Amino acid sequence: MKAKTLLILIIVAILVIAMGAFFFIQSNSHNTKVEIISNSTLKNGDTVQVVLKDEYRNVYPNEKIHIKILDDSGWANNYDVVTDNEGEASVVLTAFENGNYTIHTNYNGTLFNKAYHGVNALVIDDGY
């Protein structure tokens, strides 16, 4: 009987600790955002620049961001980049045709940083 009671107390203690850890992480997690800081109209040779920030404008260095550039037909160009010390990363545009594109940015988050997925418009116009 004592072993059964002890086992129940241990299970309850583990559940209380797990719930406490969950609530601690949730209350200390930050919303993140990947902002595109380059112009919305670019040409081949230009760079698409992004910055990873939280809701307090703190930047996050050495974090992976996935960037997908889609054309109107759904063809995707995928890039995995890592932010520098200022939380910035970039992709050089090469061999894109003139037209309208959509940039999808995806940050998977960490224990204390929430994941983010954003969609922005991009126009590539080489002037011809």
Side-chain angles (χ1 to χ4, degrees), residues 36 38-40 42 48 50 66-70 93 101-105 117-123:
I36 297 179
S38 57
N39 292 329
S40 61
L42 298 171
V48 174
V50 298
H66 181 76
I67 299 173
K68 181 175 15 177
I69 302 176
L70 286 128
L93 299 174
Y101 293 82
T102 306
I103 301 176
H104 295 257
T105 53
H117 178 77
V119 179
N120 296 84
L122 171 68
V123 175

Side-chain angles (χ1 to χ4, degrees), residues 7-25:
L7 181 63
I8 291 173
L9 287 175
I10 291 173
I11 291 172
V12 168
I14 290 172
L15 288 174
V16 168
I17 291 170
M19 287 179 15
F22 174 78
F23 288 120
F24 176 78
I25 291 170

Side-chain angles (χ1 to χ4, degrees), residues 3-97:
K4 191 176 187 181
T5 304
L6 182 61
L7 181 63
I8 291 173
L9 287 175
I10 291 173
I11 291 172
V12 168
I14 290 172
L15 288 174
V16 168
I17 291 170
M19 287 179 15
F22 174 78
F23 288 120
F24 176 78
I25 291 170
Q26 288 299 314
S27 65
N28 290 299
S29 293
H30 301 287
N31 292 320
T32 58
K33 182 176 184 179
V34 178
E35 293 181 11
I36 297 179
I37 56 176
S38 57
N39 292 329
S40 61
T41 301
L42 298 171
K43 59 185 176 184
N44 284 300
D46 290 344
T47 58
V48 174
Q49 294 177 296
V50 298
V51 62
L52 175 62
K53 296 181 180 182
D54 67 9
E55 58 200 337
Y56 304 108
R57 295 187 181 142
N58 296 316
V59 296
Y60 289 97
N62 302 316
E63 293 290 334
K64 293 180 184 178
I65 299 172
H66 181 76
I67 299 173
K68 181 175 15 177
I69 302 176
L70 286 128
D71 64 13
D72 288 338
S73 66
W75 183 259
N77 294 284
N78 293 292
Y79 307 93
D80 290 313
V81 295
V82 177
T83 58
D84 62 13
N85 289 336
E86 286 80 37
E88 296 181 9
S90 62
V91 171
V92 177
L93 299 174
T94 57
F96 282 89
E97 294 182 14

